[in-house]
């Protein structure tokens, strides 16, 4: 339900037609979705189709995950328009001349606020009471979800690392509200329009929280264009959006997204954000406009980082793994923090240098860590049925034109990350066994997140894709179709860095392998990733012998040479 107002203000759609508007897919519209992926596809496809129809060109939707990815695409001229955060606009305008196009009007206003929330049962009454508590930011480039609380801290001469006991990023305003409601964090800063809408529509999460602080009003998240967008296209898109509420079809789409209309505004609407940014830079030289990534407290506070592969977007990752981190902290007496790297390779690298203490790897990344650093498995998961394996599937969209793998010749294919066992290695064998090598595909691309692959297929940007089966299952009711399923693949292991003491390793190993033995920890298991819900069992290197053999025998005749030039 909160997807509607969030779509109106805090999500972004990207429209990237070529300047000439002459290719078969002239209008490429991107969506950086952070909640309810299937709903995102459905609602944004409507506005994308509307814009394409009004421009008189075919429209195609693409996805991105974070503000930073979208800003980079704008800077590089890969998109011609974007709905972005207010802070992103200020930074983009400063860095490469990003320009305002229009802004949404919501509830008669073109402003919004940052609100600081806590659980309604909390004894926290003021922002200062959050010192030494846990806190949730939204995105490194979110104005209401990060810049404003950083400004409050800068006025008090604090960095987040000094003020909060711990902090993390939810990558969604509604997810931040949910985390506070579930007492997974003591406080959060969120978009006032999103929060007010959640309250108005009876969100049980919003009702469990209360506001302790409201910021002054800021200019609402705008629609922007890079300097490279042609004047003709800028004017055409501005005209379509400003008049959208006067068209019956356009008005219906806006109502679904909780936008009254689009209007023009002046750049000075964002001067208060510039003032906050200048204060932070001048007082603390805070890296607000650098390539910020989720960070944790300094290493000297003894927090141990537990990482998972970035196969799920950050929202799903925190939902599926944070309960495990909380459990390990309680059971071992050590403080663990969930840590997300940007790539599979980075997780292995950080294990090797000791930045990450423990990690849940996939079979391929385990073999890489074992080869390079001698990393040994301490446990591996099983699902609720007691199976210590999962499967890879090849999926297609709902139109039914592709019935089997052999039909994928000259088709567009989306793989997961290059180091993904279920998203790349096994699917390549499924293709090869059907007589299809990579150079026989029309095109292919790798994406870190399995849900991104699925969205690419559902939105028809790709004809087929490969993911693990548990990622595909929630999307089957929405038309996703499985056309091939692999043999069993051993679940990936939990591993420890060689920098961790044997005593701590044994404590974590024991905590994992006894999770299924009592009711309280079984309740934790029920909240985790589906492939972990049966608990953990002993693991050894021998469990991954078949995967090692498959990797070493990757066909060398694919015609592209894309595989890593190593062997295990």
């Amino acid at each position: 339900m909160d997807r509607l107002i969030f779509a109106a203000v805090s999500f972004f759609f990207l429209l990237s037609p070529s300047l000439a508007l002459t290719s078969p897919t002239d209008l490429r519209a991107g969506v950086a979705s952070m909640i309810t992926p299937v709903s995102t596809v459905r609602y944004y496809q409507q506005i994308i189709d509307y814009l394409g129809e009004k421009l008189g060109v075919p429209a195609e939707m693409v996805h991105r995950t974070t503000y930073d990815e979208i800003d980079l695409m704008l800077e590089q001229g890969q998109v011609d328009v974007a709905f972005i955060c207010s802070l992103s606009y200020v930074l983009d305008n400063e860095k490469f001349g990003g320009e305002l196009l229009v802004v949404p009007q919501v509830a008669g206003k073109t402003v919004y606020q940052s609100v600081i929330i806590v659980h309604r049962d909390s004894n926290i009454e003021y922002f200062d009471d959050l010192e030494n508590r846990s806190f949730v930011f939204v995105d490194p480039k979110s104005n209401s979800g990060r810049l404003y609380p950083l400004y409050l801290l800068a006025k008090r001469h604090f960095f987040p690392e000094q003020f909060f006991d711990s902090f993390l990023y939810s990558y969604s305003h509604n997810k931040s509200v949910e985390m506070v409601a579930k007492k997974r964090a003591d406080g959060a800063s969120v978009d006032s329009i999103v929060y007010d809408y959640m309250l108005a529509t009876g969100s049980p999460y919003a009702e469990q929280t209360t506001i302790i602080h409201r910021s002054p009003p800021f200019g609402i998240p705008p629609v922007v264009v890079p300097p490279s967008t042609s004047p003709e296209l800028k004017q055409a898109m501005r005209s379509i959006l400003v008049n959208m509420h006067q068209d019956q079809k356009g008005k219906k789409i806006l109502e679904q997204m909780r936008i009254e209309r689009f209007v023009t505004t002046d750049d000075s609407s964002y001067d208060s954000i510039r003032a906050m940014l200048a204060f932070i830079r001048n007082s603390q030289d805070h890296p607000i406009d650098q390539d910020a990534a989720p960070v944790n407290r300094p290493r000297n506070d003894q927090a141990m980082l537990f990482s998972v592969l970035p196969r799920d977007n950050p929202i799903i990752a925190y939902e599926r793994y944070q309960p495990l981190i909380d459990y390990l902290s309680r059971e071992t007496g050590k403080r663990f923090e969930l840590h997300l790297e940007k790539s599979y390779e980075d997780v292995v690298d950080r294990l090797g240098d000791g930045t990450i203490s423990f990690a849940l790897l996939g079979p391929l990344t385990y073999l890489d860590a074992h080869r390079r650093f001698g990393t040994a498995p301490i446990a591996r998961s099983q699902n609720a049925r007691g199976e210590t394996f999962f499967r890879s599937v090849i999926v297609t969209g709902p139109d039914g034109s592709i019935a089997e793998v052999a039909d994928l010749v000259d088709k567009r294919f989306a793989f997961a990350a290059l180091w993904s066992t279920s998203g790349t290695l096994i699917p390549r064998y499924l293709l090869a066994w059907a007589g299809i090598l990579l150079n026989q595909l029309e095109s292919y691309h790798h994406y870190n997140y399995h849900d991104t692959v699925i969205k690419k297929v559902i939105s028809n940007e790709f004809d087929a894709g490969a993911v693990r089966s548990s990622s595909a299952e929630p999307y089957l009711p929405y038309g996703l179709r499985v056309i091939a399923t692999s043999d069993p693949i051993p679940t990936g292991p939990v591993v420890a860095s060689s920098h961790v003491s044997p005593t701590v390793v044994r404590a974590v190993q024991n905590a994992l392998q006894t999770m299924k033995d009592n009711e309280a920890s079984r309740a934790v298991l029920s909240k985790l990733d589906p492939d972990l819900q049966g608990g953990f069992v002993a693991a050894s290197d021998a469990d991954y012998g078949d995967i090692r053999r498959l990797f070493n025998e990757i066909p060398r005749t694919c015609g592209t040479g894309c595989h890593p030039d190593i062997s295990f």
Side-chain angles (χ1 to χ4, degrees):
M1 54 188 174
D2 51 346
R3 65 196 178 204
L4 302 178
I5 191 65
F6 197 61
V9 180
S10 299
F11 274 30
F12 4 85
F13 349 110
L14 303 179
L15 314 175
S16 62
S18 64
L19 298 184
L21 292 178
T22 57
S23 69
T25 54
D26 295 302
L27 181 63
R28 299 187 68 237
V31 178
S33 56
M34 296 184 184
I35 59 172
T36 322
V38 172
S39 297
T40 299
V41 170
R42 184 169 68 250
Y43 282 97
Y44 286 139
Q45 190 65 62
Q46 294 180 41
I47 195 169
I48 290 163
D49 290 343
Y50 179 85
L51 284 161
E53 177 184 331
K54 292 295 182 179
L55 288 170
V57 298
E60 180 184 0
M61 181 163 58
V62 297
H63 297 267
R64 292 297 181 268
T65 304
T66 65
Y67 294 95
D68 198 56
E69 290 175 290
I70 292 177
D71 291 341
L72 182 61
M73 293 179 70
L74 280 166
E75 181 179 5
Q76 295 178 347
Q78 297 176 10
V79 297
D80 297 298
V81 65
F83 277 51
I84 61 175
C85 173
S86 301
L87 174 59
S88 286
Y89 163 65
V90 168
L91 295 173
D92 292 349
N93 178 258
E94 174 186 83
K95 186 176 183 181
F96 57 85
E99 305 171 28
L100 289 172
L101 189 70
V102 295
V103 298
Q105 178 178 298
V106 179
K109 301 177 181 179
T110 58
V111 296
Y112 75 125
Q113 296 170 289
S114 171
V115 295
I116 310 295
I117 62 170
V118 299
H119 197 279
R120 68 180 185 185
D121 296 337
S122 171
N123 60 1
I124 298 172
E125 298 182 25
Y126 305 100
F127 181 79
D128 288 334
D129 296 337
L130 285 165
E131 186 171 5
N132 296 321
R133 304 293 187 105
S134 58
F135 198 79
V136 183
F137 295 116
V138 174
D139 182 278
K141 287 188 174 179
S142 171
N143 176 57
S144 60
R146 183 173 183 250
L147 182 68
Y148 182 68
L150 286 189
Y151 172 69
L152 295 179
L153 292 176
K155 290 171 64 177
R156 292 161 172 78
H157 307 291
F158 279 111
F159 287 99
E161 296 88 345
Q162 299 167 319
F163 187 79
F164 298 120
D165 175 67
S166 63
F167 63 92
L168 51 81
Y169 292 85
S170 70
Y171 292 93
S172 164
H173 291 271
N174 76 308
K175 180 58 65 175
S176 289
V177 176
E178 180 182 342
M179 293 182 73
V180 173
K182 292 181 176 180
K183 299 185 177 181
R184 295 181 182 174
D186 295 305
S189 56
V190 297
D191 183 317
S192 63
I193 299 179
V194 177
Y195 184 77
D196 292 344
Y197 177 78
M198 292 176 71
L199 283 176
T201 54
S203 163
Y205 299 131
E207 291 174 352
Q208 291 293 316
T209 66
T210 187
I211 296 173
I212 61 168
H213 181 88
R214 279 185 181 267
S215 75
F218 302 116
I220 203 164
V223 187
V224 305
V225 292
S228 59
T229 301
S230 70
E232 295 80 12
L233 182 56
K234 291 177 191 176
Q235 183 55 43
M237 291 188 294
R238 180 181 289 114
S239 177
I240 292 170
L241 292 172
V242 167
N243 293 292
M244 192 172 177
H245 67 289
Q246 297 177 344
D247 174 81
Q248 183 176 359
K249 183 176 181 179
K251 182 178 181 181
K252 182 178 180 180
I253 294 171
L254 291 175
E255 289 174 347
Q256 290 175 330
M257 304 183 80
R258 300 288 173 169
I259 299 175
E260 293 172 348
R261 59 185 297 186
F262 288 104
V263 298
T264 58
T265 192
D266 189 75
D267 175 79
S268 62
S269 300
Y270 302 90
D271 283 350
S272 61
I273 296 175
R274 292 187 174 96
M276 286 195 302
L277 183 60
F279 182 88
I280 293 170
R281 286 169 169 169
N282 292 334
S283 63
Q284 295 189 6
D285 192 28
H286 199 287
I288 182 67
D289 49 356
Q290 295 180 9
D291 184 17
V295 296
N296 293 282
R297 292 173 59 82
R299 292 293 308 280
N300 60 10
D301 71 352
Q302 303 303 311
M304 306 189 78
L305 303 186
F306 191 112
S307 187
V308 297
L309 297 177
R311 64 187 179 193
D312 301 309
N313 73 53
I315 301 171
I316 296 175
Y318 279 112
E319 179 75 19
R320 290 180 170 179
Y321 300 109
Q322 187 62 47
L324 176 63
I325 306 308
D326 296 338
Y327 166 81
L328 289 175
S329 296
R330 291 193 304 269
E331 291 297 309
T332 65
K334 301 291 182 180
R335 190 159 78 85
F336 287 91
E337 293 183 359
L338 182 61
H339 180 78
L340 302 180
E341 290 285 351
K342 290 187 175 181
S343 72
Y344 286 41
E345 298 95 317
D346 287 345
V347 174
V348 177
D349 289 342
R350 299 294 77 78
L351 269 171
D353 65 26
T355 301
I356 294 171
S357 298
F358 293 88
L360 176 60
L361 302 180
L364 271 186
T365 43
Y366 159 68
L367 291 174
D368 187 37
H370 181 75
R371 177 183 66 90
R372 293 165 57 194
F373 307 115
T375 306
I378 64 173
R380 65 185 182 116
S381 68
Q382 58 185 8
N383 61 27
R385 297 184 296 273
E387 300 166 341
T388 55
F389 61 84
F390 63 107
R391 297 177 189 271
S392 170
V393 294
I394 291 180
V395 297
T396 63
D399 65 10
S401 61
I402 298 173
E404 57 185 15
V405 178
D407 296 335
L408 294 175
V409 174
D410 294 329
K411 302 297 184 181
R412 302 161 299 170
F413 199 93
F415 290 102
L418 186 60
W419 282 94
S420 172
T421 309
S422 60
T424 294
L425 175 65
I426 301 302
R428 285 184 59 170
Y429 271 96
L430 293 175
L431 288 170
W433 291 331
I436 301 175
L437 301 177
L438 296 187
N439 58 2
Q440 293 174 289
L441 299 170
E442 176 187 315
S443 63
Y444 67 92
H445 193 83
H446 291 273
Y447 297 94
N448 261 7
Y449 307 141
H450 286 233
D451 63 311
T452 299
V453 171
I454 293 169
K455 287 182 284 184
K456 300 283 184 184
V457 173
I458 289 178
S459 63
N460 198 37
E461 186 174 346
F462 284 82
D463 299 299
V467 295
R468 57 176 178 159
S469 59
S470 59
S471 295
E473 287 171 4
Y475 294 86
L476 297 179
Y478 299 94
L480 192 71
R481 298 172 55 251
V482 175
I483 61 170
T485 302
S486 75
D487 292 334
I489 305 167
T491 53
V494 175
V495 301
S497 169
S498 60
H499 297 264
V500 180
S501 74
T503 301
V504 175
V505 173
R506 286 193 295 270
V508 170
Q509 185 176 41
N510 181 68
L512 290 172
Q513 294 188 21
T514 59
M515 282 191 78
K516 57 184 179 297
D517 294 343
N518 65 77
E519 184 175 349
S521 55
R522 285 196 295 272
V524 174
L525 288 171
S526 68
K527 301 175 182 179
L528 303 182
D529 180 278
D531 293 328
L532 277 62
Q533 292 181 1
F536 294 83
V537 297
S540 72
D541 181 72
D543 295 328
Y544 304 98
D546 287 342
I547 298 298
R548 178 180 280 113
R549 175 183 57 79
L550 286 175
F551 183 88
N552 290 341
E553 295 176 359
I554 289 177
R556 301 285 170 162
T557 57
C558 64
T560 63
C562 68
H563 52 275
D565 189 20
I566 60 174
S567 61
F568 296 135

